[in-house]
Amino acid sequence: MKAHDGMFIDGAWRPAAGSGTIEVTNPADGTLLATVDAGGPEDVDAAVRAARAALPGWSATPPAERAARLEALQQVLIARREEIAETVTAELGSPLTLSRKVHAAAPIAVCGSYAQLAAEYPFEERVGNSRVLREPVGVVGAITPWNYPLHQIVAKAAPALAAGCTMVLKPAEDTPLVAQLFAEAVHEAGVPAGVFNLVTGLGQEAGQALAEHDGIDLLSFTGSTAVGRQVGAAAARGVKRVALELGGKSANVVLPGADLAKAVRVGVANVMSNSGQTCSAWTRMLVDAERYDEAVRLAADAVAAYVTGDPLDEATRVGPVVNAKQYERVTGYIRRGRQEGARIVAGGAERPEGRERGHYVRPTVFADVTPEMTLAQEEIFGPVLSLISYQDTEDALRIANGTVYGLAGAVWSDDEEEAVAFARRMETGQVDINGGRFNPLAPFGGYKQSGVGRELGRHGLEEYLQTKSLQF
Ligand code: NAD
């Protein structure tokens, strides 16, 4: 695959300061896709300086012009959607159909939503004798993971640009190619030089240098809770704003009157999508004790349709996981689940049949999972679903809220008001009621250790703004 040499800084591809490189491999077969340069502190510094220099001009650009650039960016993403899908499939391993429907389509929708918000958002308001201005926070340092590689970039870049901020992006080392494609798209869309800068590199080098850099005003991080804690501390030392989108262990609560077959079918699909590498996946399914055995049988049947296969084959529903480390992590959790006494009713830690190469994990369902087991507490980030039984609604709520995380969740009931009442008591940032669809305008983010701040829609834009009050 095509890759650029160097870093995208101040509107051009410039040689990296050091000589380190990152090999980008295809998780489906281990082949080398491309090599990109590994930037370090010097590259981060050059990128932050470029962003700082571009800030006065971009922040003073009228919102209508910023909206026009975002509209142009959306058009470039639309024109290049197939290339985006193919790139994500190559470096992440997600099935091509999913790459088209989600990995390419979601960024197009989000970019479009911010083109509209930039044009319509009230950047000024009157409060009594004051005029309150909402101004860009300044230079943004953005660090993103690999699991929805372009979506997570656009969920930061589009609101940052809409707000009038400039930025430096450090994408995940597993998926730098789609980040390079995005830098090309920003350039093609006519965004001025220095407004968006890209430094590819390792987390502990380029990522850490960005998080600690004095020249950024906001650090926006998406990734694991462990790294989020570190970068959050670094940002706090510099009195920077910080936004953290972290891990999850979300509960799918099937209340006694709900349509069990539908809840299980949608719940299994939710966990298996993207090989389970979704921060908001409902990896714990909670079912009342009376219908628990039936739910286990339904889940084992449903997961049989999720056969691992070549991501390029349009019939494939589950591709490999992203890399060897993730493969070891996920299969390690499956072995540990069994050791702790949970019962495997589908899948397991062995390689799927016929898949000797590539990081393929068998879609796995565990029954007899208790709320305190590792399987029910820790984020696995693979195609693994745990079924837990509850005694009554209070017990379900206690289990649903009984982890350190609070990113997402689901509630199913034959009475929508009952589901809403339950959802109100869940300690989590979003809840899908009876299979409600993803809404790219609704705020997305975590309670508890799932993070700080919100992305998407108007709430996401406001993370990149600060207020100034003028009194008259
Ligand atoms: P990760 O935390 O290892 O890496 C995320 C990013 O941080 C990468 O770009 C990485 O290079 C960088 N990084 C690593 N160490 C760093 C350091 N010391 N300083 C600065 N940057 C550093 O996470 P991952 O394995 O890439 O992604 C999976 C995790 O992301 C999961 O826990 C998942 O739940 C979470 N996630 C959360 C959301 C959300 O919106 N809440 C969305 C997607 C993924």
Side-chain angles (χ1 to χ4, degrees), residues 81-82 85 95-107 109 317:
R81 64 192 306 165
E82 190 59 20
L96 193 54
T97 41
L98 183 78
S99 295
R100 288 185 180 131
K101 259 198 269 180
V102 177
H103 294 292
R317 295 176 84 172

Side-chain angles (χ1 to χ4, degrees), residues 250-253 280 282 397 400-401 406-412 418-439 442-445 447:
S250 299
N252 179 11
V253 183
S280 54
W282 314 325
L397 186 72
N401 288 340
L407 188 56
V411 185
W412 300 81
E418 182 197 32
V420 171
F422 190 94
R424 283 184 194 278
R425 298 170 71 198
M426 289 172 80
E427 296 163 354
T428 190
Q430 45 263 299
V431 184
D432 295 349
I433 307 289
N434 289 330
R437 276 177 303 121
F438 175 70
N439 176 1
F444 182 96
Y447 278 34

